[in-house]
Amino acid sequence: MTDLTLLAPDGTTTRTPLKPPAVTDAAKPSAALTERLVYAAAHVVPRAAADNTPGAPADLDWDATLAFRHHLWSWGLGVADAMDTAQRNMGLDPAAVRELITRSAREAQSVGGRIVVGVNTDDLPDDRNELPTEQQVVDAYVAQLHHAEDSGAGVVLMASRHLARLAQNDPATYRRVYGRVVERASAPVVLHWLGEAFDPALAGYFGGQQASDTVLDIMRDAGPKVSGIKMSLLNARAEVALRSQLPATARMFTGDDFHYVDLVAGDGRAHSDALLGAFAAVAPLASAAVQALPDDAAFRALLAPTEALSRHVFSAPTWHYKTGIAFLAWLNGHQPAFQMVGGQHAGRSLPHLSETLRLANACGALEHPDLAASRWHALLAVAGVATQPTGRPGSPTVDRTVAEVVA
């Protein structure tokens, strides 16, 4: 193994030893995980030669996109597809969403893998000057609901930008709309509470201060037709409080990429299951940790070191976390190029990505360390950053700034 060259915001470089992976393929389970119900939210891979510029229709590399889902299933994780990690509302257009759901559900059936998919209202025009009607929002949800069910996938009712605008002055709108959508479902669905850190357009979703009451009312109205809720507020205290009030037929799926270790481990009375974008980045570690349960110490020894990585990947502006997910997938050999739909791979700076790499290396999340180092150093070279130390033989390394290297 070699050393990694890391890039600081001031342009200086340092080097750190490359570590082996914390978990190897020998730890793969023979079936889906059972100690917790765990889904990893998967990203999409664009075709390298496609027009992946902002506003262009998504043109996906289906081989790489679906192979990544098989990677997650091979570790016993379920796949949560066509959700915000897959760039819903950030480049993945409705036609691509439908094809992704159809293809992923078919692949899941071929290996007996668990899959849930996002159902939203993004078929409606995103016109902030014209509010949709309740009927239009319901119809948009139901059309996607039926497509997901027809494809054979479980359903997550995603938070809707259109519904957020419509219900801004009348929180009871949430209860009416969700009630009408859920009654059209042929199988239990999972609700989705995405906070404004992930999408500012969802500020105050479910009614602001009375949001928890609204969520519980929706669940009580629906009974067993709502099987749980994915909560992504990055607020562990709020999640635990709501978790304690859920109906007996509903699960809490943590979407908290800052505090998932404690939430999944539980507090002795209850625990959260998981539906996390972070787990797509650390699938082997997440799988091995859940397999270790109920041994809390072993679980934490494997998973706790990954939280620093996740907190960095999901740091503000949080909605650009997808760049870190795709970056790590590229480093780990799951896609041929560091590209994202709509050019979103430009959402993080090189120093930010360097810290992502450092933290991934530190927690053992690099599945093929030599490949990761080679790809990262090639990316630095394209940016004009030297990856070899300079200075006299036997003297301390003298790292040069980017400006000096380019000059």
Side-chain angles (χ1 to χ4, degrees):
M1 289 190 182
T2 185
D3 286 348
L4 286 171
T5 297
L6 302 175
L7 178 67
D10 66 0
T12 58
T13 60
T14 57
R15 295 179 73 81
T16 191
L18 193 61
K19 295 180 60 175
V23 175
T24 66
D25 283 355
K28 283 186 175 180
S30 58
L33 303 179
T34 57
E35 286 294 335
R36 298 290 187 271
L37 185 53
V38 178
Y39 291 92
H43 74 300
V44 293
V45 182
R47 194 170 58 83
D51 177 14
N52 289 307
T53 51
D59 184 350
L60 300 187
D61 178 337
W62 288 112
D63 288 341
T65 294
L66 297 175
F68 187 75
R69 281 132 184 84
H70 281 279
H71 160 68
L72 298 176
W73 287 318
S74 77
W75 283 101
L77 305 176
V79 168
D81 217 334
M83 298 187 66
D84 44 296
T85 304
Q87 294 184 245
R88 291 291 285 270
N89 295 309
M90 282 189 71
L92 194 71
D93 56 277
V97 167
R98 286 189 292 273
E99 187 171 3
L100 176 64
I101 289 172
T102 299
R103 286 176 178 257
S104 291
R106 185 167 59 235
E107 294 298 313
Q109 292 161 12
S110 73
V111 295
R114 291 178 177 145
I115 187 167
V116 293
V117 300
V119 163
N120 208 324
T121 62
D122 46 348
D123 287 315
L124 294 174
D126 192 16
D127 185 352
R128 296 183 179 276
N129 297 317
E130 184 175 344
L131 281 177
T133 65
E134 281 191 32
Q135 188 62 52
Q136 287 175 319
V137 171
V138 169
D139 288 345
Y141 264 134
V142 169
Q144 292 195 18
L145 169 75
H146 287 166
H147 174 72
E149 290 185 334
D150 290 346
S151 298
V155 167
V156 178
L157 291 182
M158 296 181 69
S160 160
R161 290 177 175 179
H162 301 95
L163 182 53
R165 294 202 303 270
L166 184 64
Q168 189 170 13
N169 298 316
D170 182 14
T173 306
Y174 290 108
R175 189 173 181 180
R176 292 194 301 271
V177 168
Y178 276 96
R180 293 177 62 193
V181 174
V182 171
E183 70 181 7
R184 301 286 296 277
S186 61
V189 303
V190 174
L191 304 183
H192 184 209
W193 190 354
L194 193 67
E196 62 182 299
F198 290 89
D199 186 347
L202 300 176
Y205 204 80
F206 285 126
Q209 292 184 341
Q210 63 186 33
S212 292
D213 292 336
T214 301
V215 166
L216 292 169
D217 285 340
I218 292 169
M219 288 185 163
R220 293 180 187 119
D221 292 345
K225 293 200 73 172
V226 169
S227 61
I229 181 168
K230 166 182 159 61
M231 195 165 174
S232 301
L233 301 187
L234 305 181
N235 184 332
R237 187 171 300 175
E239 180 174 320
V240 170
L242 183 62
R243 187 175 72 188
S244 69
Q245 302 177 72
L246 292 181
T249 53
R251 295 174 179 264
M252 173 61 75
F253 291 93
T254 188
D256 188 333
D257 301 279
F258 286 1
H259 310 102
Y260 51 80
V261 174
D262 286 342
L263 291 165
V264 174
D267 55 14
R269 296 180 299 274
H271 65 263
S272 296
D273 292 296
L275 199 164
L276 287 161
F279 278 10
V282 296
L285 281 156
S287 173
V290 172
Q291 289 179 68
L293 289 170
D295 185 333
D296 185 74
F299 169 82
R300 290 177 182 277
L302 285 162
L303 201 58
T306 70
E307 263 193 6
L309 169 63
S310 185
R311 284 172 176 266
H312 178 70
V313 169
F314 286 79
S315 60
T318 302
W319 54 86
H320 282 306
Y321 77 87
K322 306 164 190 69
T323 302
I325 301 295
F327 174 65
L328 289 168
W330 173 63
L331 291 181
N332 283 326
H334 298 297
Q335 60 187 75
F338 176 38
Q339 288 191 339
M340 295 174 65
V341 169
Q344 291 292 328
H345 49 281
R348 297 295 199 187
S349 69
L350 270 179
H352 182 99
L353 295 176
S354 177
E355 181 65 1
T356 300
L357 174 61
R358 185 188 74 80
L359 292 167
N361 180 56
C363 71
L366 298 179
E367 298 167 30
H368 306 286
D370 288 331
L371 173 65
S374 174
R375 288 186 164 188
W376 169 244
H377 291 156
L379 183 62
L380 287 181
V382 170
V385 179
T387 59
Q388 296 298 323
T390 60
R392 298 184 307 277
S395 67
T397 297
V398 179
D399 292 309
R400 297 183 292 169
T401 65
V402 173
E404 290 170 332
V405 170
V406 173

